[in-house]
Amino acid sequence: MEALIPVVNKLQDVFNTVGTDIIQLPQIVVVGTQSSGKSSVLESLVGRDVLPRGTGIVTRRPLILQLVHIDPEDRRKTSEENGIDGEEWGKFLHTKNKIYTDFEEIRQEIEAETQRISGNNKGISNEPIHLRIFSPHVVNLTLVDLPGITKVPVGDQPKDIELQIRELIFKYIFNPNSIILAVTAANTDMATSEALKVAREVDPDGRRTLAVVTKLDLMDAGTDAMDVLMGRVIPVKLGIIGVVNRSQLDINQKKLVADAIRDEYAFLQKKYPSLANRNGTKYLARTLNRLLMHHIRDCLPDLKTRINVLASQYQSLLNSYGEPVEDKSSTLLQLITKFAAEYCHTIEGTAKYIETTELCGGARICYIFHETFGRTLESVDPLGGLTTIDVLTAIRNATGPRPALFVPEVSFELLVKRQVKRLEDPSLRCVELVHEEMQRIIQHCSNYSTQELLRFPKLHDAIVEVVTSLLRKRLPVTNEMVHNLVAIELAYINTKHPDFADACGLMNNNIEEQRRNRMRDLPSAVPRDKAAASGSQSGAASEQTDSGTGNWRGMLKKGEDGPATDRAMLQAPLPANPHKGYAVNLLDVPVPVSRKLSSREQRDCEVIERLIKSYFLIVRKNIQDSVPKAVMHFLVNHVKDCLQSELVGQLYKTGLLDDLLTESEDMAQRRNEAADMLKALQKASQVIAEIRETHLW
């Protein structure tokens, strides 16, 4: 199982080649406050002075440190191949194949690389430095050194330095494949440890947190860390390990790490004899190595699944970018044909990519026809905008100077045309909505159906322009047809229409029934035939006289015999205008205008209104049926039938090939990046497969 860590290092190398952290590999993340001894712990694990030293914030970029154990045979072979003089060396990712055997030079390179990205001030950067140390004195580990947690900005540090550092720390410890190494100084209160606090925020169960207590030798006289190391203060599931760091005086005097480890062992034997074997730098290294191996073993199944899913996604992405164009003529024709086919399929509902969040294409056109347009027409009141006084005025104007015995038919035609005309605006709006949806289908096909068009922005714009122009040309033709449909209905009021004739017959029956009911209500002493004759003569004469345009007293009469409905009541005062049939006071004496309609006036208005409503419903039904058919024929179907020929005629020209098939500037770069990522994922998949074959997992 020891070989699992080099395998992860190999995976890290694979993904470093594409410069991405899309795969979260198992690693140990070191977290602690400034001056808690993080760097000393890392140097103890390395066994050499390798990290920058100083006051304040020294680590200002993440340092991904990979320790690789090499045996003597591998060391000899590598030394001969690369001309290395020494048993330990290091390599940086940013310096490619350069090998460092001087660890002071490695430290200087870390400082220089930090300043190159983060500047000379105390600011931080989230771009990591990758360093690999090869040595026979280390165990296989992958560690991440992060800036120390701070509270107060110093010098020219930004005011939000605490927030920046916390965000950087959480970026690494949120990785579920990471082990958190929480470093706390022994001469501070363990209950106030910032390292354990941030670790608990992402790992509340403590399944992947290991605590390290540093500076055991600097505790106050008479105190010890026994309770802390035994887990009695704050228990940590993976354990608590105490270490002794080199002091600043030791560092200044160039005390070797190996000597410091020997002194650490002597201190633990003297101060904590019962715990000496479970603390110290060497025990920490072995524990980290063991935890990391088991953690890698547990993470590999999910890691393998993640790599396979990403490989499939990047393969699809690379396919969408397409191969570089060789036969431009054939490619252009294929793209035009595919777009035209997808456009038609979207209208017909047979497209490969079906929208699930909203209606589009033919489904939305159907909705416009039968829901939007249909309900709009049904909401139009047959008598909307038509008052009783309008009906009465139309009847009077149609009679001329003579009182009429019957309701004039001209008044019905005049009023019904006025109502039918109201159907034209919603019909034209229906055409507009369908036209807008046909325009939206262009974008739908570009985004979902023909990804290849994204490679060629000029071709995409040209196709959009051609289709938009075709739709624009068909819009006035369709509007004219819809206008003609309404004009046809206005041109001839067909009172012989079967449905209208049935309505008229039913209405006459109702009127006759009302007349018979009135006859039954007469007193029994009056002969019905005489009463009917005399009543009809006097009534007719009276009603004709009252309703005549020449008798102004009849217009000013306050009351009439017969029932009056709320709709027949004229309450609003009307302006004195003889041209509109309103009453005029010739004697300049104030006379109230409000009055009830006479029985005949009421009956005549009701007849006209019922006839208008009956005929309007017939016309509305015709319009509701004929407008969608006209839109489909003159707009939708015409565009479907002519789209491909229009695109070929406008775009398939030799002189336009090079311009239209020019890729976007970043397309080649994105294709190369996707290809590199796919290659890295495939290689990583092979590495994991090798693990299974060698029974390491």
Side-chain angles (χ1 to χ4, degrees), residues 532-545:
S534 61
S536 62
Q537 291 174 3
S538 61
S542 174
E543 290 171 1
Q544 291 173 15
T545 302

Side-chain angles (χ1 to χ4, degrees), residues 116-351:
R116 186 179 69 84
I117 299 297
S118 303
N120 294 323
N121 58 13
K122 297 298 183 178
I124 66 171
S125 170
N126 59 4
E127 185 175 340
I129 298 174
H130 293 265
L131 171 62
R132 181 170 296 177
I133 301 294
F134 299 85
S135 171
H137 307 299
V138 299
V139 296
N140 291 312
L141 287 175
T142 299
L143 304 131
V144 181
D145 186 22
L146 297 173
I149 301 171
T150 184
K151 292 291 184 181
V152 181
V154 296
D156 56 355
Q157 286 182 343
K159 294 182 179 180
D160 63 340
I161 186 66
E162 179 186 2
L163 179 61
Q164 290 185 25
I165 293 175
R166 284 182 63 87
E167 289 179 349
L168 180 58
I169 291 173
F170 278 109
K171 175 184 176 182
Y172 283 88
I173 64 177
F174 261 126
N175 174 11
N177 295 334
S178 66
I179 294 176
I180 304 172
L181 188 65
V183 179
T184 303
N187 55 2
T188 61
D189 189 352
M190 192 75 169
T192 62
S193 170
E194 286 291 331
L196 288 175
K197 178 183 176 182
V198 297
R200 187 164 292 180
E201 289 185 36
V202 298
D203 182 33
D205 297 332
R207 296 178 182 275
R208 52 189 182 91
T209 301
L210 174 68
V212 174
V213 179
T214 62
K215 304 181 181 180
L216 291 176
D217 56 331
L218 298 182
M219 298 187 67
D220 293 339
T223 63
D224 61 34
M226 184 67 71
D227 289 341
V228 172
L229 296 176
M230 294 292 291
R232 296 170 184 162
V233 178
I234 295 180
V236 180
K237 285 189 177 181
L238 294 186
I240 301 175
I241 298 176
V243 297
V244 177
N245 305 103
R246 288 182 299 168
S247 66
Q248 189 60 46
L249 178 63
D250 293 336
I251 296 172
N252 294 339
Q253 293 178 350
K254 305 295 183 180
K255 183 177 182 179
L256 297 178
V257 174
D259 295 338
I261 292 177
R262 282 195 298 270
D263 293 344
E264 175 192 54
Y265 179 75
F267 174 83
L268 292 173
Q269 288 289 348
K270 177 181 178 181
K271 188 72 175 177
Y272 304 96
S274 62
L275 301 178
N277 293 333
R278 288 179 288 162
N279 290 276
T281 300
K282 290 187 176 181
Y283 180 78
L284 173 63
R286 292 195 302 270
T287 301
L288 289 176
N289 178 261
R290 174 178 54 82
L291 289 175
L292 186 58
M293 284 190 299
H294 286 283
H295 196 61
I296 291 172
R297 183 193 60 189
D298 295 338
C299 294
L300 277 179
D302 291 338
L303 193 62
K304 178 178 181 295
T305 302
R306 172 70 173 160
I307 289 174
N308 290 338
V309 169
L310 285 173
S312 177
Q313 293 176 351
Y314 273 91
Q315 183 65 64
S316 300
L317 182 63
L318 189 61
N319 292 340
S320 69
Y321 292 153
E323 298 294 331
V325 179
E326 297 180 359
D327 188 349
K328 293 187 176 181
S329 177
S330 175
T331 300
L332 178 60
L333 188 58
Q334 288 177 2
L335 291 175
I336 289 175
T337 302
K338 184 173 182 180
F339 178 87
E342 291 295 338
Y343 191 92
C344 295
H345 290 161
T346 303
I347 295 175
E348 295 166 358
T350 58

Side-chain angles (χ1 to χ4, degrees), residues 5 26 31 59 62 76 93 122 147 183 199 245 271 317 336 401 455 489 502 530 542 572 612 620:
I5 297 178
V31 179
T59 304
R76 182 186 60 79
L93 177 65
K122 297 298 183 178
V183 179
N245 305 103
K271 188 72 175 177
L317 182 63
I336 289 175
R455 295 177 57 193
E489 296 291 347
D502 293 342
K530 292 183 180 180
S542 174
I612 291 173
R620 186 175 72 184

